[in-house]
Structure formats: C-alpha cells, structure tokens
Amino acid sequence: RGLSARVHALGAAIADWLAARRRGRSDRPPAIESEGRMPLARDAAGMAIWEMDAETGGVRWSREAGRLFGEPSGGGSGSTRLPHVVRRLHPEDRAPFQAAVADAVTGTGEVHRIQARVVQPDGTLRWIEARGQSWLDPAGKLRGLRGSLVDVTEFKGVEEDLRRNLEEMRVITAVAECIADAGGEDAMLQQTTEIIRDAFFPESCGFLLLDDEGVELRHAASFHTSCQREELTPVAAGTGIVGEVAASGEPRRIDDTRAEPRYVARETAMRSELCVPLKVGSRVLGVLNTESRLEGAFSERDERLALVVASHVANALERLRAEEALRRSGDLYRAYFTGSPLAVFVSDLEGQCLEVNGAATAVTGYSREVLLLMSIPDLLMTEGQAELRDRFAELLALGAGRHEIRILRKDGSVRHCLVHAAAIGDDRLLGFLFDVTDRREAEEKLKESEERYRGLSEASFEAILVHDNGRIVDVNQALCEMGGYSWHELVGRDGFELIAPEDRETVYRALLVEYEKPYEISVLRRDGTRLPVELRARSFPFRGQILRVTALRDISERKRAEEIRESLIRDLEAKNAELERFTH
C-alpha cells in the first residue's frame, strides 16, 4: 500500500507538469520547471535518490535516502559530503563502498551496485543497495554520480535465512551420509565430530556416551579438545552441565559459563557451551557437547540443528549397537551350535531335519548328509512315532516342551534321550537332545542298590538311623520299634532329641571326630523312658553328600544280666568274707 501511494503521488506530479506545459501556463523554462517539480515528486513518492558532485564531493539526497542513512524521518532533502556518508557505514563495509564509488567514477556509462550496512543512530544495522552511474555535462565532462538507494534489509534477512537453511541442510545431509557409510560406531562418531567442528567452529566438541549402568559419561575417542587424553576423566550423571543434560534429557545452552554455577571447567578459557542429549525415545545414550571461547557463540538455531544431529547420531548408535549385538548373538549361536556337546536339531513343523550339529551325528551314528534327509520320527523306536506327533502338537500349543524318548542308532542300539524343544518363529523347531542312557543305567543300578539296602536294613535286627549332621534322613523298622515312633515322626527330626541329655555331649564329640568304635549311651523312648543302647557310626558318601549311618543295639538285657552278675558277685564276696571270719 505504501509503494502504491508513492507511485500514485509521482504519477500525479508528472501529470500536473505535463498538463501545465500543454496549457502553456508555465512562466518558467521547461527545464527549470522540471528541476523544481522533480524533487517534490521524488519526496512525495518516497524515492531514495542521491547525487554526488565530482568536483566538491558534496552529496545531495532525497528525504527517503536520508532516512535510510539515519537522518530524522521528518527532514526533507538534504546535502552532505562523501566522508560523512562513509562514516555512517559499518566499518567492514567502508572500504568496499569507497572502491565501488571509485569504479563508478572511472566506469563512464556503467551502472554500479554495492550492498552495505548502515549503522542507525540506535545502533541497529540496515542493509541498503546503492546503485550509481556517472553524470556528464553536454560537453562530455564528468559532473558527478547519480543513483538510487534500496532498503534490502528484509531481503538480506531472507537471504541469510536461506543461507543458514542451506547450511543446516548441508550439515544434516553430511551427517546422514556419514551415518549411512560408517563402518562402525567409532568411525561414525569421528566423522560426525569433524562435521560439527566445520559447522559451529567450536574449540571443544564431541560425544560423551553413558555406560551400560547409566552412571558415568565417557568421552568418545574422537572427542576434540586441547586437553590431554588422560585429563578427560568420566563425568558422573547429574554432575555439571553435561551430567545434568544426560540425567534430564533436556538440552542446555550457556552464553556465559562464568555466570553458571553448575558449569565444570576443564578448559578455563571456554565462555559458552551448548550441550544436547543423544536420545532414542525417552532413553538417553549420551550427549553432544560443544564449547567456545566466545560469549554467546551458540544461537537458538544452533541448538535446534544440534538436536537434529544428535537425534540422527542416537538412532545410528542404537542401530549399530543392535547390529553388533545381533552379530555377536549370531557368532555365539554358531559357536554353541557347532561346539555344543548336546545334539542340536532344527526341523520344520513336520519334524523334517533342516540342520544338525556334530553331536547329533555322534548320538545317532548317521552322517550330517543322511540326517538332513531324515525326519525326527525316523529316529524313534517304532512304537514312539505315533506318540511323537501328539507331542509335536503339544509343543506347538505351548511353545516349548521337554520329553524323554528312545532313538534307534544306525548300528541298531537303543539310546534313551532327553529332548528340550522350542518353537522358532512360525515354522521352525529347535531341539536339544541329551543322551541319558548311561545315567538311566546308573539310576537303575542305584535304585537296585537302594532297594537291596532297604531290604537289608529292614531285615536287620539292629536299629539303623541315617542322618546329615544330626538331621535324620532315614530309619529302619527296628529303630521305630525301639523308640516307639513311626517312620514319618522320625525323618526330618533332630536326632539329638532322642539322646539322653547327659549323653548328648559325648555323641556330639564323637560326631566331630568321626569316631567309629562302639560306645554306650542312653536314648529316650516316646513314652519318656530311657533305654541303654550300644552305638556305632560311620560316614559314607551319598549323591554328593556325606551322610552318617548309625547302628543302635538294645543292651537293656545285657545291662540287667550285668546287674544280676554284679549282685551275685557282691553276695559271694560277702559270704566269703563271713566264711573267712568263721574260719578265723
């Protein structure tokens, strides 16, 4: 709307002048009338036009031109000198502006352009584009320069935004290409750090990664700093700006580190810091930290760009670590598959073998090539094939299973095997086959031995008790009858409770030294009565434990016989003494 008003005013001024000429009412020559009206027209249209005299260096400009150079907006057309104009420019733009003026003076007939920053009275900057062309008199002599000024501040802002956007896109594209081509985590972090250095020009920058426990941040090998490598000690999560960002997951931008109490200085010359988290979802993997010796070196746009870069790097780290974990898992699986002492089978849902390991060939006696042509039911005893189909159905329903089967080896021998199977995906089964034939034979022999022991124990006339450090494990029927207890009342009970209080220390000492010779004690029956017994014990290994078997013999009859014998001896000794006195 402002431009339209100016154009309208200029057109009206020109129309008035032309109308006056046509009516012949002008009392001045046309050139004088034109020179008088054109400044008014320029001011009315708001045109920024200037004119410089080549001899004096004086500059005349329109009201709009003066406003662009910081003159009060209410002033009209004015005049000044070239040095005064140059002093209004930004110091970095003064020399190029003077060179452009010199080129315009020497380049007759050419239109010259230059963009420069004008420092306004309030200190703000305004971009202008000055256009000029040499001005000759009718004799061809240089009179000066004439031109116009255009305010290009908004254009320069758009241009700067576009440049920054292009630069940001270049950085993001470079990071994306680096991530796509990186052969590993260290190489990716190294290349990304170099890209960040080119983009932000920081004196210190790089990545700090959290350990597996999420407690400490450690500097990546590519971290750029002037410090010695040994000075880059781990940073505890929650300590300093870096630790705070890692703990909170929120970015921090510090314009002056001296005014930040949480800042921990590693390089005392640093004045500003930008730290953003490496996040995947809500999980923090580390931080991207940049520092500069300049105050306020990082802008809000820098923070947004750093967040985008950090997001790309965090996702790449997550992917690389997942790929590394998958590779290690695959290597571990292959190592376990090939080197496992267990027979491993991979089959489809019908039991057809898809892969086997070396232990599987050893258990079955078939080669790998032959096994891959067979199915699991082909290895079973004939009567187990129908049952296996039911077990397959059960396995598919539960997702895992454990069964004991019998397989027929190539040489015709039968082996007992324990199978652990699990479903893999929707169409694979993984089975581990463990040969338990030897164990079953040993268990059978042990069972027979235990049955023989139980038979002998029950048939024994002596009371037998087996204990583990005093805790009763087993007793025979003779002991139950001796004490008046049932088997269930004795098993699991503390055996010392069956011993008379005055004899418990004797038994405890004998247990400590594993005394094996017989000795006499008294035991307590269920009704509270005491029973003298002869005890003899011996330790023996049983299923990985050291147990102690104790034999107890009832010596109450022997004790009574001894008492009668002692009574008779005492009577005989008394009669002998009386006979000696009678004889005397």
Side-chain angles (χ1 to χ4, degrees):
R1 289 194 298 269
L3 180 60
S4 299
R6 294 173 184 177
V7 171
H8 179 73
L10 178 61
I14 295 173
D16 290 344
W17 177 73
L18 292 174
R21 288 193 60 186
R22 285 195 298 270
R23 291 192 300 269
R25 289 181 292 179
S26 175
D27 55 355
R28 292 185 298 172
I32 298 175
E33 182 180 2
S34 175
E35 290 182 359
R37 286 180 175 270
M38 287 308 293
L40 296 175
R42 289 194 299 267
D43 290 343
M47 297 179 64
I49 298 176
W50 58 273
E51 180 181 289
M52 185 187 78
D53 189 291
E55 293 182 0
T56 65
V59 178
R60 297 178 62 206
W61 53 29
S62 66
R63 178 185 301 174
E64 178 64 15
R67 187 186 66 81
L68 293 180
F69 270 89
E71 293 294 333
S73 59
S77 301
S79 62
T80 183
R81 299 185 63 79
L82 182 61
H84 176 72
V85 173
V86 173
R87 284 197 298 272
R88 297 286 185 92
L89 300 179
H90 190 277
E92 296 178 0
D93 297 337
R94 292 171 183 173
F97 186 85
Q98 290 174 319
V101 171
D103 290 341
V105 170
T106 58
T108 304
E110 298 180 8
V111 177
H112 295 267
R113 301 182 181 184
I114 186 171
Q115 292 181 351
R117 288 165 290 181
V118 177
V119 181
Q120 301 296 312
D122 59 0
T124 60
L125 297 179
R126 181 174 293 276
W127 279 93
I128 63 167
E129 180 176 285
R131 303 178 186 181
Q133 188 177 19
S134 60
W135 168 34
L136 305 177
D137 61 8
K141 181 181 178 182
L142 178 68
R143 293 286 305 276
L145 298 176
R146 287 175 174 172
S148 64
L149 300 175
V150 180
D151 187 347
V152 293
T153 304
E154 294 183 3
F155 172 77
K156 292 295 289 187
V158 173
E159 185 182 58
E160 178 65 17
D161 287 343
L162 180 60
R163 186 193 66 79
R164 286 293 303 269
N165 289 337
L166 291 175
E167 180 65 20
E168 291 173 4
M169 290 301 300
R170 186 193 68 79
V171 172
I172 294 172
T173 302
V175 170
E177 292 176 352
C178 162
I179 289 172
D181 298 336
E185 181 175 319
D186 292 339
M188 186 266 293
L189 295 179
Q190 172 71 38
Q191 297 176 22
T192 307
T193 302
E194 294 174 359
I195 294 171
I196 294 171
R197 288 179 60 189
D198 293 340
F200 297 115
F201 303 105
E203 284 76 21
S204 174
C205 70
F207 297 92
L208 293 89
L209 304 179
L210 276 170
D211 56 15
D212 294 337
E213 292 76 21
V215 176
E216 285 186 338
L217 289 155
R218 293 185 172 87
H219 295 78
S222 57
F223 195 90
H224 169 68
T225 178
S226 60
C227 296
Q228 297 296 324
R229 188 66 192 176
E230 56 270 14
E231 296 179 33
L232 300 178
T233 56
V235 179
T239 302
I241 301 300
V242 170
E244 177 188 344
V245 171
S248 66
E250 298 297 329
R252 286 291 308 275
R253 178 162 51 92
I254 309 300
D255 293 330
D256 187 357
T257 57
R258 291 169 296 185
E260 175 55 51
R262 292 183 62 86
Y263 177 73
V264 178
R266 293 186 182 275
E267 299 179 60
T268 55
M270 297 302 170
R271 291 293 175 264
S272 57
E273 180 178 17
L274 173 61
C275 187
V276 297
L278 303 176
K279 293 178 66 176
V280 178
S282 60
R283 189 161 57 90
V284 178
L285 305 181
V287 299
L288 165 59
N289 191 62
T290 59
E291 296 185 55
S292 174
R293 293 187 176 94
L294 302 176
E295 292 184 18
F298 307 108
S299 64
E300 186 176 348
R301 295 189 64 156
D302 293 333
E303 181 178 333
R304 290 197 299 268
L305 178 59
L307 283 170
V308 173
V309 172
S311 176
H312 282 286
V313 172
N315 288 321
L317 282 174
E318 183 80 354
R319 176 178 57 81
L320 289 172
R321 290 177 179 179
E323 291 174 354
E324 179 64 16
L326 183 61
R327 185 189 64 78
R328 291 181 180 178
S329 177
D331 293 343
L332 180 62
Y333 166 76
R334 284 189 292 273
Y336 181 78
F337 187 85
T338 56
S340 173
L342 299 179
V344 184
F345 291 81
V346 179
S347 72
D348 60 17
L349 301 183
E350 301 298 326
Q352 179 65 43
C353 294
L354 302 176
E355 188 57 80
V356 295
N357 68 345
T361 63
V363 169
T364 61
Y366 294 98
S367 66
R368 177 178 177 274
E369 291 74 15
V370 174
L371 282 176
L372 294 181
L373 299 175
M374 302 174 65
S375 66
I376 303 298
D378 295 337
L379 298 172
L380 300 179
M381 295 291 293
T382 306
E383 64 273 15
Q385 293 184 359
E387 182 183 359
L388 182 65
R389 285 192 293 269
D390 297 336
R391 291 181 177 178
F392 270 129
E394 177 185 348
L395 176 61
L396 294 176
L398 299 178
R402 179 177 181 270
H403 305 285
E404 188 170 333
I405 61 174
R406 292 187 300 164
I407 65 171
L408 189 63
R409 285 173 49 86
K410 183 179 180 181
D411 58 9
S413 61
V414 177
R415 306 296 291 181
H416 293 269
C417 296
L418 190 64
V419 178
H420 291 264
I424 305 176
D426 297 330
D427 58 351
R428 294 290 186 273
L429 296 175
L430 176 64
F432 297 91
L433 196 67
F434 181 59
D435 188 350
V436 295
T437 305
D438 296 337
R439 191 185 73 182
R440 281 182 61 90
E441 293 176 354
E443 288 176 351
E444 291 293 334
K445 292 178 180 179
L446 180 60
K447 184 178 179 181
E448 293 176 2
S449 175
E450 290 178 350
E451 290 177 352
R452 286 195 299 270
Y453 162 75
R454 170 60 61 183
L456 291 173
S457 176
E458 294 298 334
S460 174
F461 293 105
E462 291 185 339
I464 297 176
L465 178 146
V466 180
H467 68 90
D468 179 11
N469 288 325
R471 186 68 58 185
I472 298 175
V473 176
D474 196 8
V475 295
N476 66 349
Q477 185 60 31
L479 183 68
C480 294
E481 294 175 354
M482 175 186 291
Y485 296 96
S486 66
W487 185 88
H488 297 285
E489 290 176 318
L490 291 174
V491 172
R493 188 172 179 177
D494 187 357
F496 282 94
E497 296 177 358
L498 305 179
I499 302 172
E502 64 272 14
D503 294 329
R504 289 174 183 172
E505 184 176 354
T506 302
V507 176
Y508 182 71
R509 291 180 180 274
L511 176 62
L512 289 178
V513 299
E514 296 189 354
Y515 186 72
E516 296 186 357
K517 293 182 179 180
Y519 58 95
E520 297 179 1
I521 62 170
S522 295
V523 297
L524 300 176
R525 292 171 54 85
R526 184 175 183 179
D527 58 6
T529 58
R530 293 171 179 259
L531 182 67
V533 296
E534 183 183 76
L535 183 147
R536 188 169 187 176
R538 177 177 297 173
S539 300
F540 72 99
F542 180 76
R543 295 184 179 180
Q545 294 178 302
I546 302 298
L547 302 181
R548 195 164 177 84
V549 59
T550 303
L552 296 93
R553 179 176 298 174
D554 184 357
I555 58 174
S556 56
E557 293 295 333
R558 189 179 74 184
K559 285 292 186 180
R560 282 194 293 271
E562 289 178 353
E563 291 176 359
I564 293 173
R565 183 168 62 86
E566 291 294 332
S567 176
L568 292 174
I569 290 174
R570 287 194 298 270
D571 291 343
L572 181 58
E573 289 176 349
K575 290 181 179 180
N576 287 337
E578 183 180 354
L579 181 60
E580 287 178 0
R581 286 194 299 274
F582 175 75
T583 304
H584 178 72

